Amino acid sequence: MKLKVNREFLFKHLFAFVVFLGLGGLFAYDGLVRYPATPAPALYASIEGSEAPAGSAAMLEGFKAQKVRAQRIFALLGLLAAAGVGVHLLLACRLDFSFDDDGFVCNGVRRAYADIERVDTSAWEKKSILVLIGKEWKITLDAWHFAGVKDFFEKVKNRG
């Protein structure tokens, strides 16, 4: 049997990726295009909802500079969050894990059940996370990330 990425995990992470990417893009547009092109008094009025005080050009330019900087920081944070979620999802999708009665294959490396020196099940009851530990290798499997982990756990649990 081959482990497959859990659809719920996949769709929730894709949704988060798209939201973070979209927010990062909107903040980037405001911080790189819209706010710099808007005159300071008009930007103040659109954000604060009131007319700018008369004779406060220096204050308005400072206000504009702060708002442009904030939008650029939010853009960076949104794009970094999208990258983090995207990398996590990509790594999960790249895992190639299958198992049968004799052992398992993880990313092209065949191992027998006897090669498992220890199975860490401390997070199994609460989170369905299984950690296989062998000589110079460690594999973590999460049942929320992958469909089929519970079946694999039964095989590991019943190994001689």
Side-chain angles (χ1 to χ4, degrees):
M1 178 177 191
K2 185 172 177 64
L3 297 187
K4 295 178 183 163
V5 175
N6 184 350
R7 290 174 57 89
E8 179 186 6
F9 167 79
L10 176 68
F11 289 133
K12 284 184 177 184
H13 278 69
L14 279 175
F15 178 76
F17 174 77
V18 169
V19 167
F20 287 135
L21 191 63
L23 286 172
L26 287 173
F27 287 126
Y29 176 77
D30 281 349
L32 298 171
V33 177
R34 185 171 155 244
Y35 283 17
T38 304
L43 184 63
Y44 182 90
S46 71
I47 292 173
E48 296 298 323
S50 64
E51 289 299 317
S56 56
M59 185 277 295
L60 290 174
E61 288 304 320
F63 175 85
K64 179 178 176 177
Q66 186 273 331
K67 295 304 179 186
V68 167
R69 189 175 330 113
Q71 294 301 303
R72 291 176 181 175
I73 290 170
F74 290 147
L76 179 63
L77 292 174
L79 296 174
L80 285 173
V85 171
V87 166
H88 177 67
L89 190 57
L90 181 65
L91 291 174
C93 289
R94 289 189 51 164
L95 179 73
D96 182 21
F97 191 97
S98 60
F99 62 96
D100 54 30
D101 291 334
D102 300 320
F104 59 96
V105 177
C106 182
N107 293 330
V109 178
R110 176 88 182 159
R111 294 187 171 94
Y113 291 116
D115 295 338
I116 302 171
E117 293 180 352
R118 189 166 70 88
V119 179
D120 179 359
T121 59
S122 60
W124 183 255
E125 287 300 318
K126 285 188 176 183
K127 298 183 177 185
S128 297
I129 295 174
L130 177 67
V131 181
L132 308 171
I133 302 165
K135 189 177 266 184
E136 300 181 21
W137 57 268
K138 179 178 170 181
I139 300 169
T140 302
L141 299 173
D142 188 330
W144 186 59
H145 294 179
F146 304 102
V149 172
K150 291 182 180 182
D151 295 331
F152 178 71
F153 178 62
E154 290 302 317
K155 289 267 189 205
V156 169
K157 196 166 65 170
N158 298 325
R159 67 187 163 96

